[in-house]
Amino acid sequence: MARGYEDFPTLRFELADDGVLHVVLDSPGLNSVSPQMHRDLAEVWPVIDRDDDARAVLVRGEGKAFSSGGSFDLLAEMIDDYSSRVRIMREARDLVMNIIACSKPIVSAVRGPAVGAGLVVAMMADISVVGRKARIIDGHTRLGVAAGDHAAICWPLLVGMAKAKYYLLTCAPLDGAEAERIGLVSLCVDDAEVLTTATGIATELAQGAQAAIRFTKHSLNHWYRTAAPAFETSLGLEFLSFGGPDVREGLAAHRKKRPARFTTD
């Protein structure tokens, strides 16, 4: 393994002989994203980009989940501390933009829940392979904050504005089949076939013409770069929301597993 991966303790790295670098989210609570994992997911992509031995990336969650999203510790830190909020907002920007800038093709293998910061990685991957029983949720407004992270930069491009508004405003969940039907993900397969299918695609990319694949990714990602102003706006409004009253009620409701009672203003 190339030097540098030891700086990302919440992620597990496995470099296969075929040049596929497996990046595994492995943490308690269905691979929930702690403050450390949030930093790791934001900062790892330039290191991968500089790793000459890695020709393609396969990212997945350990066990039966991709990621359940931000941990209670991460959410509380954003709500209670301004300096932490600013730092995590910068990480959220870097997470999206560093994936876009990474020249290596990235394949995500998604089983079970994919929520929050974990969902960013799953959806910003160049090719996403999801199980039929996967549960994809962008739950920002249910928490009481504006939909930020990756949503404004890619959902309208992937599924169109009407579907993007429906799912981002209502937080309605999608299973793998529906996500494929509306164009949010690349492929939907039986849950037992997700890892095999995703590995096969990553291996094919690793064995392909590297310059051609990377240049094609770079060109296509200009569509995302043109949406950067909308992304920056959504990110700012999301983190502004973390200083407001609704998110405290949203987090309390989430902890107690009850409906939220938001203010009407």
Side-chain angles (χ1 to χ4, degrees):
M1 294 294 292
R3 294 176 59 187
Y5 291 121
E6 65 274 8
D7 293 333
F8 308 101
T10 65
L11 304 175
R12 192 167 77 246
F13 301 91
E14 302 164 0
L15 181 61
D17 292 338
D18 57 16
V20 176
L21 177 65
H22 294 246
V23 179
V24 185
L25 286 65
D26 188 0
S27 65
L30 297 176
N31 305 318
S32 66
V33 178
S34 65
Q36 180 65 49
M37 183 182 280
H38 195 266
R39 170 199 165 276
D40 290 350
L41 288 172
E43 297 181 2
V44 72
W45 303 103
V47 176
I48 292 173
D49 203 38
R50 294 190 296 268
D51 184 356
D52 292 336
D53 293 327
R55 297 191 295 275
V57 182
L58 175 64
V59 60
R60 64 177 176 87
E62 179 62 27
K64 297 182 179 180
F66 191 86
S67 173
S68 60
S71 68
F72 287 137
D73 288 344
L74 180 66
L75 295 174
E77 193 172 331
M78 287 188 284
I79 292 170
D80 295 334
D81 185 72
Y82 174 77
S83 62
S84 294
R85 194 181 311 150
V86 172
R87 186 195 78 248
I88 295 167
M89 180 175 70
R90 182 177 64 250
E91 292 172 357
R93 180 189 298 114
D94 290 345
L95 172 54
V96 169
M97 301 311 293
N98 284 344
I99 290 177
I100 290 172
C102 181
S103 66
K104 314 294 176 66
I106 302 167
V107 180
S108 61
V110 182
R111 293 182 295 185
V115 185
L119 180 61
V120 177
V121 181
M123 296 298 100
M124 291 302 300
D126 303 301
I127 296 174
S128 49
V129 180
V130 304
R132 299 193 191 283
K133 297 180 181 179
R135 187 170 175 83
I136 297 170
I137 306 174
D138 189 292
H140 282 80
T141 62
R142 187 172 63 186
L143 183 63
V145 298
D149 287 344
H150 70 304
I153 202 169
C154 73
W155 282 57
L157 282 170
L158 294 172
V159 304
M161 188 61 75
K163 289 293 188 183
K165 284 184 176 179
Y166 172 72
Y167 285 105
L168 298 177
L169 294 176
T170 67
C171 301
L174 297 96
D175 60 20
E178 182 64 8
E180 182 188 44
R181 189 188 72 81
I182 66 175
L184 184 65
V185 302
S186 305
L187 293 174
C188 173
V189 299
D190 290 339
D191 289 60
E193 299 174 2
V194 169
L195 186 55
T196 301
T197 302
T199 301
I201 294 169
T203 299
E204 180 181 352
L205 291 169
Q207 295 173 348
Q210 294 303 291
I213 290 170
R214 295 176 192 183
F215 289 166
T216 299
K217 170 178 176 172
H218 180 81
S219 299
L220 289 172
N221 276 355
H222 277 309
W223 287 98
Y224 287 152
R225 295 182 182 97
T226 62
F231 169 61
E232 293 280 357
T233 299
S234 71
L235 199 61
L237 293 173
E238 175 190 5
F239 280 82
L240 177 64
S241 303
F242 273 108
D246 279 345
V247 69
R248 294 182 181 275
E249 167 59 19
L251 181 57
H254 187 49
R255 284 181 181 274
K256 297 177 182 178
K257 302 185 186 302
R258 62 164 174 79
R261 297 182 289 270
F262 293 122
T263 59
T264 57
D265 292 339

